[in-house]
């Protein structure tokens, strides 16, 4: 899929007040801003025009814009994040997305859904059921996707350790290839795909992102980086250490469309 746009929002000074289970200590705000700037530059290098939203201190996790919407070539849906402290992020995203989409669907209570649980494999969507996305939310998304003519499969990750979201352990590279962590590799949902297995110890890097010709990969995970390069993809390596401290990764920092 060819992307032309991305929406990003740099972190606010109280970024460290967001949700985290990483246990890696508080992020360095100045460094986080630098890493964000570099990330934005990489998206531009991939040919995307950026919509930069202002930092939002009333929602410390709001830099993770991916969780607030599902964007497809045929329509957009606002989510209903599973963490109560993040519910308020959606209103700001609604305002922005109306510039790009004539109508917006939305997940309704009691459904919850985080964009990080949704992996678009070229029009087939994998929907993670997680601590954040409940069955009701996943069902609402699946029905809406079906109306648009897209197929989807749900993947229950609630009993799998270490995965906040489905895309914490899964990425679609294009060309029928999925990057998967070992704990996801046996899922029936992924049969028929070529699986690029994430080397043990490099699980965090599973959250890589194909953007047009390039693949964005987190810095510090040389084995997965080499696997992806050897498949022929030009790689852009980005340091997102400060976002990792807040349980976030490369995909969460933008909405691409
Ligand atoms: C959260 O716990 O919601 C944020 N601190 C991190 C969200 C990361 N988002 C993502 O993986 N899509």
């Amino acid at each position: 899929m060819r992307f032309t746009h991305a929406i990003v929002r740099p972190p606010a000074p109280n970024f460290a007040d967001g949700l985290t289970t990483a246990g890696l200590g508080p992020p360095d705000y100045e460094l986080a801003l630098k890493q964000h700037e570099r990330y934005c530059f990489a998206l531009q290098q991939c040919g995307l025009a950026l919509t930069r939203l202002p930092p939002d201190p009333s929602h410390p996790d709001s830099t993770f814009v991916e969780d607030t919407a599902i964007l497809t070539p045929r329509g957009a849906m606002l989510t209903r994040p599973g963490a109560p402290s993040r519910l308020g992020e959606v209103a700001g995203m609604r305002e922005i997305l109306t510039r790009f989409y004539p109508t917006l669907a939305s997940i309704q209570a009691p459904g919850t859904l985080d964009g990080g649980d949704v992996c678009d494999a070229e029009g087939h969507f994998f929907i993670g059921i997680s601590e954040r996305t409940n069955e009701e939310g996943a069902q609402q998304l699946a029905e809406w996707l079906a109306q648009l003519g897209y197929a989807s499969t749900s993947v229950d990750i609630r009993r799998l350790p270490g995965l906040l979201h489905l895309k914490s352990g899964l990425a679609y590279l294009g060309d029928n290839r999925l990057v998967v962590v070992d704990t996801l590799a046996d899922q029936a949902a992924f049969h028929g795909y070529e699986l690029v297995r994430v080397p043990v110890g490099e699980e965090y890097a599973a959250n890589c992102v194909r953007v047009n010709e390039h693949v964005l990969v987190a810095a510090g995970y040389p084995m997965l980086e080499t696997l992806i390069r050897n498949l022929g993809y030009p790689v852009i390596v980005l340091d997102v250490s400060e976002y990792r401290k807040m349980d976030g990764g490369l995909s969460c920092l933008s909405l691409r469309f």
Side-chain angles (χ1 to χ4, degrees), residues 17-90:
D17 295 341
L19 302 168
T20 183
T21 59
L24 296 171
D28 175 326
Y29 181 57
E30 292 306 318
L31 182 54
L33 285 180
K34 285 199 188 97
Q35 292 178 347
H36 197 271
E37 198 42 53
R38 178 74 192 85
Y39 177 85
C40 290
F41 181 70
L43 293 178
Q44 289 173 317
Q45 258 182 290
C46 297
L48 307 195
L50 298 189
T51 298
R52 296 172 189 254
L53 307 181
D56 174 8
S58 52
H59 299 102
D61 279 312
S62 58
T63 191
F64 301 116
V65 287
E66 177 184 62
D67 291 319
T68 59
I70 309 302
L71 306 183
T72 83
R74 300 180 196 161
M77 183 177 226
L78 294 164
T79 67
R80 194 169 170 274
S85 63
R86 301 199 59 191
L87 281 168
E89 294 175 27
V90 175

Side-chain angles (χ1 to χ4, degrees), residues 1-2 71-76 101 120 125 148 150 257:
M1 181 175 14
R2 184 117 209 127
L71 306 183
T72 83
R74 300 180 196 161
Y101 293 88
D120 178 357
F125 289 76
L148 299 182
Y150 293 122
F257 59 108

Side-chain angles (χ1 to χ4, degrees), residues 15 18-21 60-61 64-67 83 85-86 89 114-117 132 164-165 167-168 207 243 246-249 251-253:
F15 177 45
L19 302 168
T20 183
T21 59
D61 279 312
F64 301 116
V65 287
E66 177 184 62
D67 291 319
S85 63
R86 301 199 59 191
E89 294 175 27
D114 279 14
D117 277 314
R132 299 290 177 84
L164 173 64
H165 290 120
K167 279 192 292 190
S168 310
N207 182 253
Y243 297 91
M246 300 308 292
D247 285 347
S251 75
C252 343
L253 289 175

